[in-house]
């Protein structure tokens, strides 16, 4: 009985955490000033929002059940694919010149491009 | 480094008043649709519709499957699925017809750059001293004299294999075929479980799934690999000579399953295979054959349609008609009235047709 109650409490806590983080992420997408900070919020919804919900499903149903096993597979795929998707989005945005927020304090690729030896040329191998 | 001298324009200057309003309307409408849908759900003890009861009754004895949905889709309403499948085939054929190229191609995208790379590898000096290179350069000079005469900048070079060779600081466009190592590793890793899941959806026919979603998932995997690794990685498989016969084979298999049922059992898509043990891969009789044909048909059909659309952007000879039209049109519309400006487009149409 107490084990069941503990399991239920864990499920509620995990699901609550997931929903709360998803809410802050959605709020961040609305409130953040530019694409790069919004991408940071959207990737947080997946890693800290969807994963606790899926883990809650695994805890509630058991890992080797019909729902639990699929939740584990989906969680694994999300962990692999989501950072790559955010990376590709941010890189594409930077390459196509999507502007940063006026208050941004660092633009490392631009600094690396401007500071090295020759003025117009990007740095080649030595700084990587 | 924080000075705003060369900082770009801030994208969102002010909080618009209409944004919360639109948000409230959209969220409210979505909530209303959700509430209506929830209220319209049948109660737990509600009576099933007649077709569902029929499917529940005959699924196990007649078809040997424990999944009534698959019995409906590929069994008792197989003709409906047949119609949907050949509607998809018709759509794929129309996409291919509308998006076809002037010259026959072996691949959907990237063949021009691939040929260029191969040519450079086989014959590095061909571009500089061959007759063709000079003719092309002369043609380009003829088309726009205004551009710079720097030959090195205009010399086309093969795009790099992946984006790692294309540092972030350089301006767009990204010409690399593949994306960065992060995306490539993630896509390679994710493609394996995703394709296993797609095959599983079709193979385990006694549980929810079926050939249609499985084919769509497979097309998604191919698209994922194309996006991450570039056209060179999928070019061996994603080419018309492979996909088009495969798709027609899937369609022919579906027709064969139906017609054999008609000949041997008296109705289209009736089961004509000896039933296997329930809850095995082979259970379900011809449902599994139909589902497998559907997997091939949908997977290849969606891939063909997507890549035919992607390939329409990559013109074989972009400098021929496109550049002609823009330079002529801009020249003449500057100096004269509208009737004159409409002439170059007519001339361009003639040139493109010949």
């Amino acid at each position: 009985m107490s084990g069941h109650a503990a399991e239920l409490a864990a499920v509620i806590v995990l699901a609550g955490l997931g929903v709360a983080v998803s809410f802050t992420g959605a709020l961040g997408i609305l409130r953040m000033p530019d694409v790069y900070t919004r991408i940071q919020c959207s990737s947080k919804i997946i890693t800290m929002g969807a994963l606790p919900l899926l883990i809650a499903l695994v805890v509630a149903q058991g890992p080797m059940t019909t729902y639990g096993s699929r939740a584990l597979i989906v969680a694994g795929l999300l962990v692999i694919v989501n950072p790559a998707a955010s990376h590709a989005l941010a890189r594409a945005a930077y390459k196509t010149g999507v502007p940063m927020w006026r208050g941004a304090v660092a633009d490392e690729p631009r600094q690396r491009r401007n500071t090295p030896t020759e003025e117009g040329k990007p740095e080649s191998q030595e700084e990587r | 480094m924080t000075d705003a001298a060369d900082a770009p324009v801030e994208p969102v200057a002010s909080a618009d008043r209409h944004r919360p309003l639109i948000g409230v309307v959209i969220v409210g409408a979505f909530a209303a649709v959700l509430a209506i849908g929830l209220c319209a759900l049948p109660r737990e003890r509600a009576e099933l519709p007649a077709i569902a009861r029929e499917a529940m009754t005959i699924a196990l004895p007649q078809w040997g499957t424990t999944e009534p949905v698959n019995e409906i889709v590929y069994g008792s309403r197989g003709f409906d699925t047949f119609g949907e499948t050949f509607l998809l085939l018709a759509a794929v054929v129309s996409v291919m017809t509308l998006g076809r190229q002037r010259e026959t191609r072996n691949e959907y995208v990237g063949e021009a750059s691939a040929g260029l790379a191969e040519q450079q590898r086989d014959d590095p000096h061909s571009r500089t001293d061959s007759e063709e290179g000079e003719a092309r350069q002369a043609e380009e000079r003829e088309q726009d004299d205004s551009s710079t005469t720097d030959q090195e900048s205009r010399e086309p070079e093969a795009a790099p294999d992946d984006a790692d060779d294309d540092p972030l600081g350089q301006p767009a466009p990204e010409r690399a075929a593949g994306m960065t190592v992060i995306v490539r590793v993630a896509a390679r890793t994710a493609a394996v479980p995703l394709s296993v899941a797609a095959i599983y959806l079709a193979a385990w026919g006694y549980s929810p799934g079926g050939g249609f979603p499985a084919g769509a998932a497979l097309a998604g995997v191919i698209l994922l690999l194309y996006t991450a690794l570039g056209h060179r990685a999928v070019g061996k498989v994603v080419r018309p000579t492979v996909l088009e016969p495969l798709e027609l084979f899937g369609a022919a298999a579906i027709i064969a399953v139906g017609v054999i049922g008609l000949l041997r059992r008296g109705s289209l898509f009736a089961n004509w295979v000896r039933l296997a043990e329930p809850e095995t891969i082979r259970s379900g009789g011809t449902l599994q054959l139909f589902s497998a044909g559907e997997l091939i048909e949908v997977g290849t059909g969606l891939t063909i349609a997507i890549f035919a659309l992607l390939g329409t952007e990559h013109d074989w000879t972009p400098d021929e008609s496109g550049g002609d039209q823009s330079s002529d049109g801009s020249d003449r519309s500057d100096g004269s009235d509208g009737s004159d400006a409409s002439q170059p487009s007519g001339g361009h149409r003639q040139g493109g047709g010949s």
Side-chain angles (χ1 to χ4, degrees), chain B residues 304-319:
Chain B
I304 289 174
I306 291 165
F307 278 89
L309 286 173
L310 284 173
T312 50
E313 271 197 350
H314 298 250
D315 198 4
W316 182 261
T317 49
D319 54 344

Side-chain angles (χ1 to χ4, degrees), chain B residues 163-190:
Chain B
D164 295 336
D165 299 333
D166 195 7
L168 189 55
Q170 286 181 352
E174 193 144 49
R175 293 175 59 248
M179 296 174 100
T180 55
V181 65
I182 299 170
V183 183
R184 277 181 286 137
V185 169
R188 278 207 182 104
T189 317

Side-chain angles (χ1 to χ4, degrees), chain B residues 88-168:
Chain B
L88 176 72
L89 183 64
V92 169
V93 169
S94 8
V95 167
M96 281 166 55
T97 312
L98 292 174
R100 70 189 187 280
Q101 311 289 337
R102 268 179 286 169
E103 293 146 29
T104 49
R105 299 267 196 94
N106 291 321
E107 282 179 59
Y108 290 101
V109 288
E111 190 160 87
S113 64
L116 206 61
E118 195 171 312
Q119 192 179 347
Q120 281 189 340
R121 208 182 317 121
D122 289 348
D123 190 6
H125 304 294
S126 67
R127 192 138 291 279
T128 52
D129 57 11
S130 80
E131 226 178 331
E132 187 207 59
E134 285 171 17
R136 270 184 193 276
Q137 282 176 6
E139 193 186 47
E140 276 183 32
R141 270 200 299 277
E142 203 174 37
Q143 271 175 9
D144 50 348
D145 290 324
S146 59
S147 69
T148 56
T149 50
D150 181 18
Q151 291 197 352
E152 281 192 5
S153 74
R154 203 183 296 154
E155 199 81 23
E157 57 187 46
D161 264 339
D162 49 56
D164 295 336
D165 299 333
D166 195 7
L168 189 55

Side-chain angles (χ1 to χ4, degrees), chain B residues 5-353:
Chain B
D6 56 348
V9 186
E10 192 179 357
V12 181
S14 63
D16 296 322
R17 191 64 56 84
H18 65 272
R19 277 175 67 183
L21 190 69
I22 292 174
V24 165
V25 167
I26 292 175
V27 169
F30 183 67
V33 168
L34 211 61
I36 293 169
L38 271 177
C39 294
L41 275 181
R43 296 282 171 274
E44 201 174 341
R45 307 261 171 212
E47 188 114 329
L48 286 170
I51 179 130
R53 261 177 294 153
E54 166 79 5
M56 301 281 265
T57 321
I58 66 170
L60 201 53
Q62 271 194 28
W63 297 90
T65 184
T66 49
E67 175 59 30
V69 174
N70 275 0
E71 190 279 318
I72 294 175
V73 171
Y74 301 118
S76 43
R77 301 206 60 180
F79 190 64
D80 200 47
T81 311
F82 171 79
E84 279 173 27
T85 310
F86 282 81
L87 201 66
L88 176 72
L89 183 64
V92 169
V93 169
S94 8
V95 167
M96 281 166 55
T97 312
L98 292 174
R100 70 189 187 280
Q101 311 289 337
R102 268 179 286 169
E103 293 146 29
T104 49
R105 299 267 196 94
N106 291 321
E107 282 179 59
Y108 290 101
V109 288
E111 190 160 87
S113 64
L116 206 61
E118 195 171 312
Q119 192 179 347
Q120 281 189 340
R121 208 182 317 121
D122 289 348
D123 190 6
H125 304 294
S126 67
R127 192 138 291 279
T128 52
D129 57 11
S130 80
E131 226 178 331
E132 187 207 59
E134 285 171 17
R136 270 184 193 276
Q137 282 176 6
E139 193 186 47
E140 276 183 32
R141 270 200 299 277
E142 203 174 37
Q143 271 175 9
D144 50 348
D145 290 324
S146 59
S147 69
T148 56
T149 50
D150 181 18
Q151 291 197 352
E152 281 192 5
S153 74
R154 203 183 296 154
E155 199 81 23
E157 57 187 46
D161 264 339
D162 49 56
D164 295 336
D165 299 333
D166 195 7
L168 189 55
Q170 286 181 352
E174 193 144 49
R175 293 175 59 248
M179 296 174 100
T180 55
V181 65
I182 299 170
V183 183
R184 277 181 286 137
V185 169
R188 278 207 182 104
T189 317
V192 178
L194 281 176
S195 24
V196 170
I199 302 294
Y200 159 84
L201 279 178
W204 265 247
Y206 57 89
S207 64
F212 209 108
L218 265 191
V221 171
I222 293 172
L223 198 59
L224 172 75
L225 287 178
Y226 163 71
T227 316
L229 307 179
H231 59 84
R232 286 168 210 166
V234 295
K236 282 209 175 83
V237 177
V238 181
R239 53 173 61 224
T241 48
V242 173
L243 288 183
E244 287 168 14
L246 253 183
E247 161 153 50
L248 293 180
F249 169 76
I254 292 173
I255 294 176
V257 168
V259 168
I260 293 175
L262 181 65
L263 294 178
R264 293 188 53 181
R265 290 283 181 270
S267 74
L268 206 62
F269 294 110
N271 181 38
W272 47 269
V273 178
R274 203 159 53 82
L275 293 180
E277 191 78 8
E279 306 230 312
T280 57
I281 292 183
R282 284 173 54 235
S283 70
T286 53
L287 299 186
Q288 286 295 81
L289 295 178
F290 197 163
S291 181
E294 188 85 9
L295 166 73
I296 298 171
E297 159 80 27
V298 171
T300 54
L302 289 181
T303 312
I304 289 174
I306 291 165
F307 278 89
L309 286 173
L310 284 173
T312 50
E313 271 197 350
H314 298 250
D315 198 4
W316 182 261
T317 49
D319 54 344
E320 223 173 68
S321 57
D324 216 19
Q325 184 195 22
S326 68
S327 64
D328 279 358
S330 64
D331 278 342
R332 296 194 188 168
S333 61
D334 275 348
S336 55
D337 55 355
S339 65
D340 231 348
S342 69
Q343 274 187 349
S345 68
H348 158 244
R349 216 171 285 136
Q350 280 177 359

Side-chain angles (χ1 to χ4, degrees), chain A residues 30 33-34 38 70 77 80-81 84 87-88 91 94-96 99-102 104-106 109-111 113 122-123 128, chain B residues 1-2 4 6 8-12 19 163-164 166-172 174 179-180 182-183 186 189-190 193-194 200:
Chain A
L30 288 175
D34 68 353
R38 277 185 215 136
R70 281 152 178 79
L77 282 175
I80 296 168
V81 169
H87 157 80
R91 184 185 162 93
Y94 192 88
K95 284 288 263 193
T96 50
M100 281 192 186
W101 179 44
R102 199 171 43 193
V105 293
R110 170 187 285 234
Q111 287 160 21
R113 193 160 34 129
E123 107 289 5
R128 274 202 272 173
Chain B
M1 68 182 85
T2 56
D6 56 348
V9 186
E10 192 179 357
V12 181
R19 277 175 67 183
D164 295 336
D166 195 7
L168 189 55
Q170 286 181 352
E174 193 144 49
M179 296 174 100
T180 55
I182 299 170
V183 183
T189 317
L194 281 176
Y200 159 84

